Amino acid sequence: MKRSLKKFLSLALTAAMIFTLAACGKTEEKPNNNTAEASDSILIGGIGPITGDAAMYGNSTMNGAKLAVDEINEAGGVLGKKLVLEVMDDKNDAVESTNAFNKLVENKIVSLVGAVTSKPSDAVALVAADTGIPMITPTGTAQSITTHGENIFRAPFIDPYQGEVMAVFAKDELKVQKVAVIRNNSSDYSDGLATAFVDKAKELGLEVVADESYGENDVDFKSQLTKIQNANPDVLFIPDYYQKVSLIAPQARQVGINVQLIGGDGWDGVIKSIKQDDLKAVEGAYFCNTFALDDPEEKVQNFIKKYTDTYNEAPQSFSALGYDSVYLTAEAIKNANSTDSKAIVEALKNISYDGVTGSFKFDENRNPIKSVFMTTIEGDQYKLYKKMVAE
């Protein structure tokens, strides 16, 4: 009896295993959900902070992306199909961002435009790399983002590139000898720019007289700024996003720092963010950017007009990068003549595209090779100073 029962259980277990393997086999034989071959539309995912402290960046980016989708569809779509952009809010949070990506994968996206800020973009890239789905972060600048996989691309230049460019600018254009830095040590973006700036400044023979730091939740910077003032620099580099710059710049002036202020592309938005009474604190400041409203290129001016007519406000660099990211995606799908992930990735690697933020080609790490738009602030306007590249 025991032997019969043992034999019966063994046979039952074997049958269950065969059934399970057969079921798994059926799942694997399903067509690639991301090809969208049988659909009359092509679904692209979008991820960014639509709400929260970085909402200005997320909305600006996705507004640019939506404008590109509308233009492409009006011109006939891609491969005879309409593009559809599904945007999800990550609230500038890495966990929210990865959850959003997983949901978009379930919805069968063929490509992703997102995320927007660096930490969520890095988190999504880590997950996206395993799926093979092509991802273009329109604005994530942390160097690590594209290292996670061959399918991860970016539209902006990387943090070290910005820091190096600003050090070269300080030496060659501003003709300074002593530089100071105040960095957000809770931000990969801020810390990355600051480190690259300091290293390049030293390489160029500049003296770094102060390198102060603060935390993400800090709002009073007078202690650090007073130390910087006592160090007597010729220029102060503030590599952070516009929210922090809107607080730091006025306090710098209050403690007596009257030297030139410079920064990275996170400054884009500071005019809108800073209190009007404090606007004079950033007058004449310079920051590197990927886009300029007064760029005379016809394509750029057409984009600015359409964006302004659609949203009743001028675009920011984030808007332009979102716009270019969708066009890059559409061009890659067209060149690949397919919505297959591998085909789109290969097309992106070999793409050559002229956008509103410059001409695009990707290097071996899938970072763009492009010029920097050096921007200055005059009153309540951003002005293109010059285009330049890092040495």
Side-chain angles (χ1 to χ4, degrees), residues 12 23 30 64 69 98 124 164 174 200 205 216 227-228 232 251 259 276 321 340 347 352 354-355 359-360 384:
K30 287 182 180 179
V69 168
T98 53
V124 171
E164 290 172 4
L174 301 180
K200 188 66 175 180
E216 183 62 37
K227 292 178 183 177
I228 291 172
N232 195 31
Q251 291 183 35
V259 301
Q276 287 303 300
L321 287 164
D340 176 72
S352 179
D354 290 328
S359 296
F360 279 86
L384 177 61

Side-chain angles (χ1 to χ4, degrees), residues 37-57:
E37 298 295 345
S39 174
D40 59 357
S41 63
I42 297 172
L43 182 62
I44 296 173
I47 298 176
I50 307 305
T51 61
D53 61 353
M56 185 189 295
Y57 287 144

Side-chain angles (χ1 to χ4, degrees), residues 12-144:
L13 179 59
T14 302
M17 289 175 66
I18 292 171
F19 178 80
T20 301
L21 288 171
C24 290
K26 288 179 182 177
T27 300
E28 290 173 357
E29 289 171 2
K30 287 182 180 179
N32 182 359
N33 287 334
N34 294 326
T35 61
E37 298 295 345
S39 174
D40 59 357
S41 63
I42 297 172
L43 182 62
I44 296 173
I47 298 176
I50 307 305
T51 61
D53 61 353
M56 185 189 295
Y57 287 144
N59 285 294
S60 179
T61 303
M62 292 305 151
N63 283 345
K66 290 173 187 175
L67 181 61
V69 168
D70 290 344
E71 288 181 0
I72 291 166
N73 287 337
E74 287 171 7
V78 182
L79 305 184
K81 301 179 181 183
K82 287 192 176 294
L83 289 184
V84 176
L85 177 67
E86 182 177 354
V87 177
M88 300 199 74
D89 182 10
D90 68 9
K91 304 177 181 65
N92 197 29
D93 179 81
V95 174
E96 293 276 357
S97 198
T98 53
N99 289 341
F101 176 73
N102 290 331
K103 177 63 177 176
L104 289 169
V105 172
E106 289 178 8
N107 294 347
K108 300 177 175 56
I109 59 169
V110 303
S111 188
L112 175 69
V113 173
V116 171
T117 53
S118 285
K119 276 191 175 180
S121 295
D122 201 46
V124 171
L126 191 60
V127 178
D130 290 334
T131 69
I133 295 173
M135 165 184 165
I136 303 177
T137 171
T139 52
T141 56
Q143 189 171 11
S144 59

Side-chain angles (χ1 to χ4, degrees), residues 218-297:
D218 291 348
V219 294
D220 187 339
F221 312 93
K222 290 181 179 176
S223 175
Q224 297 95 320
L225 291 168
T226 298
K227 292 178 183 177
I228 291 172
Q229 166 64 4
N230 292 336
N232 195 31
D234 300 319
V235 69
L236 173 58
F237 184 47
I238 311 175
D240 209 340
Y241 293 112
Y242 63 86
Q243 303 98 319
K244 290 295 185 186
V245 177
S246 296
L247 298 175
I248 294 171
Q251 291 183 35
R253 301 310 189 200
Q254 290 168 15
V255 302
I257 298 176
N258 296 313
V259 301
Q260 184 73 61
L261 303 183
I262 59 176
D265 62 354
W267 277 56
D268 194 14
V270 70
I271 289 176
K272 189 174 180 180
S273 174
I274 201 168
K275 294 179 181 178
Q276 287 303 300
D277 290 344
D278 291 332
L279 192 56
K280 59 183 179 296
V282 294
E283 176 71 25
Y286 293 96
F287 63 95
C288 57
N289 210 349
T290 55
F291 171 74
L293 289 170
D294 53 345
D295 187 332
E297 291 284 341

Side-chain angles (χ1 to χ4, degrees), residues 364-383:
E364 66 278 8
N365 298 311
R366 299 161 304 284
N367 297 316
I369 303 167
K370 59 196 295 189
S371 298
V372 172
F373 292 69
M374 193 59 64
T375 304
T376 188
I377 297 175
E378 295 181 7
D380 60 354
Q381 299 290 322
Y382 301 113
K383 298 290 183 181

Side-chain angles (χ1 to χ4, degrees), residues 189-212:
Y189 168 80
S190 180
D191 202 47
L193 264 72
T195 298
F197 177 85
V198 168
D199 291 346
K200 188 66 175 180
K202 290 177 179 178
E203 178 187 318
L204 294 171
L206 300 179
E207 182 183 0
V208 181
V209 297
D211 187 351
E212 295 293 323

